Amino acid sequence: MGASSYINEIWRKKQSDIMSFLLQIRAWEYRHFPSVSRLIKPSRPEKAKRLGYKSKQGYVIYRVRIRRGSRKKSVPKGITSGKPKRHGVNQMKFNRNKQSVAEEKVGKICGNLRVLNSFWVNQDSIFKYFEIILVDPNHKNIKRSFRINWICSPKSKHRELRGITSAGKKGRGLRRKGHRANKLRPSIRSAWKRNNKLKLKKFR
């Protein structure tokens, strides 16, 4: 077992004395930073490495803060003016997960970089903190590396906005395969269209 395996074992036991104290101190530290801040190196090097990060030029790490909980509908005095079904104000659930929202937040700020992957680092009662791995598609190290230069193509622009990253695929239900994903592939919308379309044979 290498050092990364031991670090991973420690991170898996988050309720241990060491990790609970460390997460508590780090949460206090993260609260003092802006909502989106660039880092020199990842907080979880073993996790970042498994998700494709390399400690060389062309790779960038950002930490993002996302507010926890459901969303509130922005209506004056809570007056929605409609049918009772649409009267909800407080418990409005967003369709995508917090990690996907964090990726989107960074992707909009760093338009010249490509989002590769992301991972959870911490949370407290109000916020969740994620670290996002970004890649510079114009850097010569990225262009020359056959393992990562696929991200330089125009097809890989804003992967986080199209649900192609790992967090985005999880939110779309694409971790499942086979008969359990009949209504999920290629997407929920296209599967609905396929099942509800009236199909008439040309020659009857």
Side-chain angles (χ1 to χ4, degrees):
M1 283 173 70
S4 59
S5 303
Y6 288 110
I7 297 169
N8 191 33
E9 281 297 314
I10 293 168
W11 268 97
R12 286 180 69 183
K13 295 178 171 64
K14 294 181 181 65
Q15 288 188 331
S16 63
D17 293 343
I18 298 167
M19 279 308 298
S20 61
F21 177 73
L22 188 63
L23 290 172
Q24 194 176 344
I25 295 295
R26 281 186 176 173
W28 173 84
E29 182 193 356
Y30 295 165
R31 278 197 291 272
H32 293 78
F33 281 88
S35 61
V36 178
S37 55
R38 187 177 171 180
L39 308 178
I40 300 168
K41 57 185 178 181
S43 304
R44 299 179 63 181
E46 91 297 342
K47 182 74 171 175
K49 204 167 184 180
R50 272 188 294 153
L51 296 177
Y53 174 77
K54 304 275 186 190
S55 59
K56 64 180 184 180
Q57 290 182 340
Y59 288 85
V60 187
I61 291 280
Y62 272 82
R63 189 192 304 122
V64 192
R65 186 177 70 203
I66 298 293
R67 191 171 284 272
R68 292 177 67 179
S70 50
R71 292 290 157 261
K72 190 174 180 181
K73 192 183 287 183
S74 59
V75 286
K77 297 181 181 178
I79 301 165
T80 51
S81 303
K83 294 184 177 180
K85 181 180 173 63
R86 305 294 174 194
H87 278 186
V89 173
N90 284 318
Q91 295 290 327
M92 308 306 294
K93 305 292 188 286
F94 193 60
N95 283 333
R96 286 186 293 127
N97 54 42
K98 301 290 181 193
Q99 193 169 340
S100 177
V101 174
E103 290 176 351
E104 179 192 350
K105 200 170 184 179
V106 177
K108 284 183 176 179
I109 291 171
C110 308
N112 59 328
L113 303 176
R114 307 276 166 87
V115 174
L116 178 63
N117 225 320
S118 61
F119 53 93
W120 177 95
V121 284
N122 210 330
Q123 69 185 47
D124 55 23
S125 59
I126 304 171
F127 299 110
K128 281 195 175 188
Y129 301 93
F130 298 96
E131 287 187 7
I132 320 294
I133 304 166
L134 297 114
V135 179
D136 184 2
N138 299 311
H139 200 283
K140 61 181 181 182
N141 282 351
I142 305 302
K143 285 181 175 178
R144 290 171 184 173
S145 175
F146 70 93
R147 292 185 187 278
I148 192 66
N149 61 7
W150 56 268
I151 210 165
C152 299
S153 74
K155 288 192 292 184
S156 298
K157 287 181 181 178
H158 289 290
R159 299 167 69 240
E160 72 285 350
L161 295 175
R162 296 178 288 135
I164 304 174
T165 59
S166 182
K169 283 184 176 179
K170 186 180 181 182
R172 291 163 61 202
L174 297 181
R175 295 275 172 92
R176 288 169 172 250
K177 290 183 179 179
H179 71 278
R180 296 183 302 168
N182 287 337
K183 295 183 180 178
L184 299 174
R185 291 179 185 277
S187 68
I188 294 170
R189 186 187 292 264
S190 61
W192 180 91
K193 205 171 177 180
R194 181 179 66 223
N195 295 331
N196 288 274
K197 193 162 54 177
L198 179 64
K199 297 168 188 170
L200 300 171
K201 302 254 183 187
K202 192 175 180 183
F203 303 106
R204 282 184 279 181

